[in-house]
């Protein structure tokens, strides 16, 4: 009986669906950073409401619980190993920062800028920016802790490097999913909303909707190809782990190299076609934008894949030649 091997791909597909739902049904004009920081901001608002409503004990309990969450993993690891380790200090720093961040989110008046006076609107914008910035710093620290743990695992288990590489590729693919299926869709929804609310002139609504949807599709297509490339690379890593010099890898290497080249072509073609359509319809569009959105990270991934494929292909050929000589 064959085991199901596509958990990562299914997770990426579900993430794409969630991103589309949030982009379409959520508040318009929200940046992705606002979305990912909303759990902490919402928790801060909840604790403040509980305290002001008389439930001070519940507010303190929730505050302490959120603050000690980063300590759960290192504590379990210390209990199992029966000794402390250097990496646990990073988790302590993350926990301390969580307490400080949540205290400021609960008491936002402490973040008010002294440079902005007499304008509640600007103060509100400033406070939102600082809140979301504090949450982004939390995610950065959390990522640092996770990477430190992964590096420590690789030192002890060299075979784990294959798993680590797959996790990194799935993480990069998740970033592409969020950027494409949330960012592009949210931009299209915002554009359509602004066109629908226009009061000047005779706006050709169907044509503007088509242009917005088409631009989103042209932004999503290159990301989808890159995501497929990364998923194929993860499957290739599994085969590489079983036998890193097997002649069967040659076909997989060629497929990866071919997908890499297709990724570059699709990125360039979509950029050209989108700009041509925008130019052709500019006479009837309320919002016209031209861009050459070629992600350098995508090109870097493709270049590294092509280089690695070439090196591995020569290694397999050399290994087969040595077998014939022996």
């Amino acid at each position: 009986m064959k085991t199901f091997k596509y958990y990562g791909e299914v997770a990426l597909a579900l993430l794409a669906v969630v991103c589309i739902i949030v982009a379409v049904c959520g508040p318009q004009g929200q940046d992705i950073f606002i979305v990912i920081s909303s759990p902490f901001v919402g928790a801060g608002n909840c604790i403040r409401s509980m305290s002001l409503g008389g439930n001070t004990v519940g507010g303190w309990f929730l505050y302490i619980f959120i603050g000690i969450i980063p300590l759960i993993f290192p504590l379990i690891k210390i209990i199992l190993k029966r000794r402390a380790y250097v990496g646990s200090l990073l988790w302590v720093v993350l926990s301390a920062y969580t307490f400080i961040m949540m205290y400021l989110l609960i008491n936002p008046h402490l973040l008010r800028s002294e440079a902005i006076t007499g304008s509640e609107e600007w103060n509100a914008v400033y406070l939102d920016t600082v809140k979301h910035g504090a949450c982004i710093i939390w995610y950065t620290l959390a990522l640092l802790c996770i990477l430190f743990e992964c590096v420590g695992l690789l030192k002890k288990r060299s075979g784990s490097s294959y798993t680590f590489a797959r996790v990194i590729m799935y993480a990069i693919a998740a970033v592409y999913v969020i950027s494409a299926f949330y960012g592009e869709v949210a931009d299209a929804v915002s554009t359509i909303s602004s066109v629908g609310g226009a009061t000047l002139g005779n706006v050709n609504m169907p044509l503007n909707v088509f242009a917005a949807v088409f631009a989103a599709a042209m932004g999503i297509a290159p990301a989808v190809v890159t995501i497929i490339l990364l998923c194929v690379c993860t499957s290739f890593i599994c085969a590489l782990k079983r036998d890193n010099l097997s002649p069967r890898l040659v076909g997989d290497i060629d497929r990866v190299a071919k997908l890499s080249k297709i990724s570059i072509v699709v990125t360039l073609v979509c950029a050209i076609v989108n700009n041509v359509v925008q130019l052709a319809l500019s006479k009837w569009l309320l919002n016209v934008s031209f861009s050459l959105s070629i992600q350098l990270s995508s090109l870097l991934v493709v270049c590294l894949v092509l280089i690695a494929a070439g090196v591995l292909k020569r290694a397999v050929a050399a290994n087969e030649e040595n077998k014939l000589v022996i």
Side-chain angles (χ1 to χ4, degrees):
M1 183 177 179
K2 293 184 178 180
T3 57
F4 188 73
K5 301 182 296 182
Y6 303 102
Y7 294 105
E9 286 76 5
V10 172
L12 291 174
L14 292 175
L15 178 61
V17 173
V18 171
C19 287
I20 293 174
I21 294 174
V22 173
V24 174
C25 302
Q28 295 178 10
Q30 277 199 344
D31 190 84
I32 185 62
F33 295 115
I34 297 177
V35 175
I36 63 176
S37 61
S38 58
F40 292 109
V41 176
N45 294 334
C46 178
I47 294 173
R48 184 169 64 255
S49 298
M50 292 173 66
S51 300
L52 294 176
N55 190 6
T56 307
V57 176
W60 273 103
F61 178 80
L62 183 58
Y63 170 67
I64 295 173
F65 174 75
I66 295 174
I68 65 174
I69 286 177
L71 297 178
I72 294 176
F73 174 79
L75 282 176
I76 293 175
K77 190 172 181 180
I78 290 172
I79 292 172
L80 292 177
K81 291 189 173 184
R82 297 181 179 179
R83 63 182 178 85
Y85 65 104
V86 178
S88 60
L89 295 176
L90 284 176
W91 293 100
V92 172
V93 171
L94 179 60
S95 177
Y97 178 78
T98 304
F99 277 111
I100 296 172
M101 179 187 70
M102 290 305 303
Y103 185 79
L104 294 175
L105 293 179
I106 296 168
N107 303 281
H109 62 277
L110 299 175
L111 296 172
R112 293 178 69 91
S113 174
E114 295 182 359
I116 303 176
T117 57
S119 176
E120 289 299 324
E121 182 180 352
W122 278 107
N123 246 313
V125 173
Y126 168 80
L127 285 176
D128 286 340
T129 303
V130 173
K131 287 178 183 179
H132 301 310
C135 295
I136 297 305
I137 294 174
W138 187 93
Y139 282 109
T140 306
L141 286 173
L143 181 61
L144 178 63
C145 294
I146 294 171
L147 288 177
F148 192 88
E149 294 289 343
C150 291
V151 170
L153 182 63
L154 290 176
K155 288 181 179 179
K156 296 179 180 179
R157 301 178 184 176
S158 58
S160 300
S161 57
Y162 293 99
T163 303
F164 181 65
R166 292 185 65 201
V167 170
I168 292 296
M169 286 190 175
Y170 277 127
I172 296 174
V175 172
Y176 277 106
V177 168
I178 296 172
S179 175
F181 291 94
Y182 178 82
E184 296 292 343
V185 174
D187 288 344
V189 171
S190 178
T191 300
I192 294 172
S193 177
S194 64
V195 172
T199 57
L200 298 176
N202 296 320
V203 179
N204 189 327
M205 189 65 181
L207 202 58
N208 278 269
V209 171
F210 167 78
V213 174
F214 185 82
M218 290 299 98
I220 291 174
V224 170
V225 177
T226 305
I227 293 167
I228 294 173
L229 171 63
L230 291 169
C231 290
V232 171
C233 286
T234 57
S235 299
F236 175 70
I237 289 173
C238 289
L240 198 63
K241 183 178 181 180
R242 290 191 293 269
D243 186 356
N244 56 13
L245 291 175
S246 173
R248 298 178 181 178
L249 293 176
V250 175
D252 295 334
I253 295 172
D254 290 335
R255 184 173 60 166
V256 170
K258 185 177 180 180
L259 272 173
S260 301
K261 296 173 183 177
I262 291 175
S263 176
I264 295 177
V265 173
V266 170
T267 300
L268 294 174
V269 169
C270 287
I272 294 171
V273 171
N274 183 47
N275 287 332
V276 169
V277 171
Q278 291 287 324
L279 179 62
L281 301 179
S282 60
K283 184 178 179 180
W284 300 278
L285 299 181
L286 189 64
N287 296 314
V288 182
S289 61
F290 302 96
S291 64
L292 184 61
S293 58
I294 301 176
Q295 296 183 353
L296 295 179
S297 58
S298 177
L299 294 179
L300 178 62
V301 168
V302 169
C303 291
L304 291 177
V305 167
L306 287 173
I307 293 172
V311 172
L312 188 57
K313 201 169 182 178
R314 288 194 294 272
V316 171
N319 182 63
E320 292 301 306
E321 184 177 349
N322 288 336
K323 288 181 180 179
L324 293 175
V325 172
I326 294 174

